[in-house]
mmCIF file of all heavy atoms in Angstrom:
data_model
loop_
_atom_site.group_PDB
_atom_site.id
_atom_site.type_symbol
_atom_site.label_atom_id
_atom_site.label_comp_id
_atom_site.label_asym_id
_atom_site.label_seq_id
_atom_site.Cartn_x
_atom_site.Cartn_y
_atom_site.Cartn_z
ATOM 1 N N VAL A 157 83.402 87.100 87.981
ATOM 2 C CA VAL A 157 83.488 86.156 89.202
ATOM 3 C C VAL A 157 84.810 85.652 89.387
ATOM 4 O O VAL A 157 85.408 85.622 90.604
ATOM 5 C CB VAL A 157 82.492 84.862 89.050
ATOM 6 C CG1 VAL A 157 82.840 83.904 90.150
ATOM 7 C CG2 VAL A 157 81.086 85.418 89.094
ATOM 8 N N PHE A 158 85.593 85.316 88.440
ATOM 9 C CA PHE A 158 86.982 84.831 88.464
ATOM 10 C C PHE A 158 87.853 85.936 89.027
ATOM 11 O O PHE A 158 88.713 85.582 89.803
ATOM 12 C CB PHE A 158 87.458 84.218 87.142
ATOM 13 C CG PHE A 158 88.927 83.890 87.139
ATOM 14 C CD1 PHE A 158 89.224 82.596 87.699
ATOM 15 C CD2 PHE A 158 89.916 84.572 86.644
ATOM 16 C CE1 PHE A 158 90.617 82.170 87.873
ATOM 17 C CE2 PHE A 158 91.206 84.128 86.671
ATOM 18 C CZ PHE A 158 91.569 82.932 87.274
ATOM 19 N N ILE A 159 87.741 87.073 88.417
ATOM 20 C CA ILE A 159 88.509 88.267 88.875
ATOM 21 C C ILE A 159 88.360 88.461 90.385
ATOM 22 O O ILE A 159 89.377 88.721 91.207
ATOM 23 C CB ILE A 159 88.276 89.473 88.119
ATOM 24 C CG1 ILE A 159 88.740 89.229 86.633
ATOM 25 C CG2 ILE A 159 88.864 90.673 88.796
ATOM 26 C CD1 ILE A 159 88.452 90.427 85.756
ATOM 27 N N SER A 160 87.021 88.448 90.799
ATOM 28 C CA SER A 160 86.687 88.574 92.255
ATOM 29 C C SER A 160 87.417 87.506 93.075
ATOM 30 O O SER A 160 87.980 87.930 94.131
ATOM 31 C CB SER A 160 85.205 88.578 92.465
ATOM 32 O OG SER A 160 84.517 89.498 91.554
ATOM 33 N N LEU A 161 87.338 86.350 92.714
ATOM 34 C CA LEU A 161 88.046 85.235 93.375
ATOM 35 C C LEU A 161 89.567 85.582 93.458
ATOM 36 O O LEU A 161 90.140 85.437 94.539
ATOM 37 C CB LEU A 161 87.866 83.913 92.597
ATOM 38 C CG LEU A 161 88.938 82.745 93.088
ATOM 39 C CD1 LEU A 161 88.650 82.397 94.522
ATOM 40 C CD2 LEU A 161 88.587 81.578 92.073
ATOM 41 N N MET A 162 90.179 85.967 92.457
ATOM 42 C CA MET A 162 91.653 86.147 92.318
ATOM 43 C C MET A 162 91.994 87.316 93.212
ATOM 44 O O MET A 162 93.044 87.377 93.823
ATOM 45 C CB MET A 162 92.137 86.332 90.976
ATOM 46 C CG MET A 162 91.984 84.954 90.081
ATOM 47 S SD MET A 162 92.741 83.540 90.766
ATOM 48 C CE MET A 162 94.438 84.131 90.772
ATOM 49 N N ILE A 163 91.196 88.393 93.263
ATOM 50 C CA ILE A 163 91.396 89.589 94.076
ATOM 51 C C ILE A 163 91.550 89.162 95.574
ATOM 52 O O ILE A 163 92.357 89.508 96.264
ATOM 53 C CB ILE A 163 90.497 90.602 93.830
ATOM 54 C CG1 ILE A 163 90.640 91.365 92.446
ATOM 55 C CG2 ILE A 163 90.570 91.754 94.918
ATOM 56 C CD1 ILE A 163 91.890 92.148 92.417
ATOM 57 N N ILE A 164 90.496 88.377 95.925
ATOM 58 C CA ILE A 164 90.384 87.902 97.347
ATOM 59 C C ILE A 164 91.637 87.062 97.780
ATOM 60 O O ILE A 164 92.214 87.342 98.751
ATOM 61 C CB ILE A 164 89.111 87.130 97.685
ATOM 62 C CG1 ILE A 164 87.870 88.068 97.419
ATOM 63 C CG2 ILE A 164 89.022 86.471 98.902
ATOM 64 C CD1 ILE A 164 86.569 87.268 97.389
ATOM 65 N N ILE A 165 91.955 86.038 96.979
ATOM 66 C CA ILE A 165 92.993 85.178 97.372
ATOM 67 C C ILE A 165 94.453 85.885 97.177
ATOM 68 O O ILE A 165 95.369 85.450 97.706
ATOM 69 C CB ILE A 165 92.914 83.856 96.723
ATOM 70 C CG1 ILE A 165 93.008 83.936 95.122
ATOM 71 C CG2 ILE A 165 91.594 83.173 97.052
ATOM 72 C CD1 ILE A 165 93.068 82.500 94.404
ATOM 73 N N THR A 166 94.539 86.834 96.236
ATOM 74 C CA THR A 166 95.743 87.588 96.055
ATOM 75 C C THR A 166 96.073 88.293 97.366
ATOM 76 O O THR A 166 97.276 88.276 97.910
ATOM 77 C CB THR A 166 95.598 88.570 94.807
ATOM 78 O OG1 THR A 166 95.585 87.719 93.689
ATOM 79 C CG2 THR A 166 96.921 89.435 94.829
ATOM 80 N N VAL A 167 95.078 89.033 97.840
ATOM 81 C CA VAL A 167 95.338 89.702 99.080
ATOM 82 C C VAL A 167 95.604 88.845 100.243
ATOM 83 O O VAL A 167 96.490 88.978 101.073
ATOM 84 C CB VAL A 167 93.951 90.600 99.452
ATOM 85 C CG1 VAL A 167 94.077 91.241 100.775
ATOM 86 C CG2 VAL A 167 93.731 91.598 98.382
ATOM 87 N N SER A 168 94.904 87.746 100.292
ATOM 88 C CA SER A 168 95.050 86.680 101.301
ATOM 89 C C SER A 168 96.517 86.194 101.248
ATOM 90 O O SER A 168 97.213 86.038 102.233
ATOM 91 C CB SER A 168 94.108 85.466 101.120
ATOM 92 O OG SER A 168 94.374 84.413 102.219
ATOM 93 N N ASP A 169 96.950 85.813 100.036
ATOM 94 C CA ASP A 169 98.398 85.347 99.852
ATOM 95 C C ASP A 169 99.468 86.342 100.215
ATOM 96 O O ASP A 169 100.448 86.041 100.856
ATOM 97 C CB ASP A 169 98.490 84.810 98.349
ATOM 98 C CG ASP A 169 99.783 84.024 98.245
ATOM 99 O OD1 ASP A 169 100.216 83.358 99.166
ATOM 100 O OD2 ASP A 169 100.365 83.880 97.122
ATOM 101 N N LEU A 170 99.156 87.665 99.887
ATOM 102 C CA LEU A 170 100.190 88.593 100.161
ATOM 103 C C LEU A 170 100.311 88.867 101.589
ATOM 104 O O LEU A 170 101.400 89.178 102.015
ATOM 105 C CB LEU A 170 99.659 90.004 99.377
ATOM 106 C CG LEU A 170 99.931 90.034 97.909
ATOM 107 C CD1 LEU A 170 99.257 91.316 97.331
ATOM 108 C CD2 LEU A 170 101.382 90.029 97.538
ATOM 109 N N TYR A 171 99.183 89.054 102.385
ATOM 110 C CA TYR A 171 99.168 89.344 103.787
ATOM 111 C C TYR A 171 99.178 88.181 104.735
ATOM 112 O O TYR A 171 99.592 88.372 105.916
ATOM 113 C CB TYR A 171 98.042 90.426 103.946
ATOM 114 C CG TYR A 171 98.296 91.645 103.234
ATOM 115 C CD1 TYR A 171 97.571 91.923 102.023
ATOM 116 C CD2 TYR A 171 99.355 92.604 103.629
ATOM 117 C CE1 TYR A 171 97.845 93.011 101.319
ATOM 118 C CE2 TYR A 171 99.386 93.747 102.949
ATOM 119 C CZ TYR A 171 98.747 94.037 101.763
ATOM 120 O OH TYR A 171 98.974 95.177 101.114
ATOM 121 N N TYR A 172 98.554 87.067 104.345
ATOM 122 C CA TYR A 172 98.504 85.905 105.238
ATOM 123 C C TYR A 172 99.065 84.750 104.821
ATOM 124 O O TYR A 172 99.188 83.726 105.522
ATOM 125 C CB TYR A 172 96.989 85.796 105.616
ATOM 126 C CG TYR A 172 96.253 86.953 105.899
ATOM 127 C CD1 TYR A 172 95.307 87.521 105.131
ATOM 128 C CD2 TYR A 172 96.367 87.536 107.281
ATOM 129 C CE1 TYR A 172 94.618 88.669 105.588
ATOM 130 C CE2 TYR A 172 95.820 88.674 107.596
ATOM 131 C CZ TYR A 172 94.968 89.344 106.712
ATOM 132 O OH TYR A 172 94.236 90.387 107.086
ATOM 133 N N LYS A 173 99.741 84.773 103.506
ATOM 134 C CA LYS A 173 100.463 83.654 103.075
ATOM 135 C C LYS A 173 99.595 82.367 102.973
ATOM 136 O O LYS A 173 100.087 81.276 103.309
ATOM 137 C CB LYS A 173 101.743 83.361 103.855
ATOM 138 C CG LYS A 173 102.702 84.625 103.939
ATOM 139 C CD LYS A 173 103.859 84.307 104.796
ATOM 140 C CE LYS A 173 104.682 85.536 104.901
ATOM 141 N NZ LYS A 173 105.947 85.340 105.670
ATOM 142 N N ILE A 174 98.334 82.466 102.646
ATOM 143 C CA ILE A 174 97.447 81.300 102.550
ATOM 144 C C ILE A 174 96.312 81.489 101.591
ATOM 145 O O ILE A 174 95.964 82.761 101.418
ATOM 146 C CB ILE A 174 96.911 80.992 103.927
ATOM 147 C CG1 ILE A 174 96.129 79.612 104.003
ATOM 148 C CG2 ILE A 174 95.854 82.101 104.380
ATOM 149 C CD1 ILE A 174 95.608 79.177 105.234
#
Side-chain angles (χ1 to χ4, degrees):
V157 170
F158 178 77
I159 290 171
S160 301
L161 163 65
M162 294 306 297
I163 288 292
I164 293 171
I165 63 175
T166 292
V167 173
S168 179
D169 193 30
L170 284 172
Y171 294 100
Y172 307 109
K173 302 178 182 179
I174 189 174

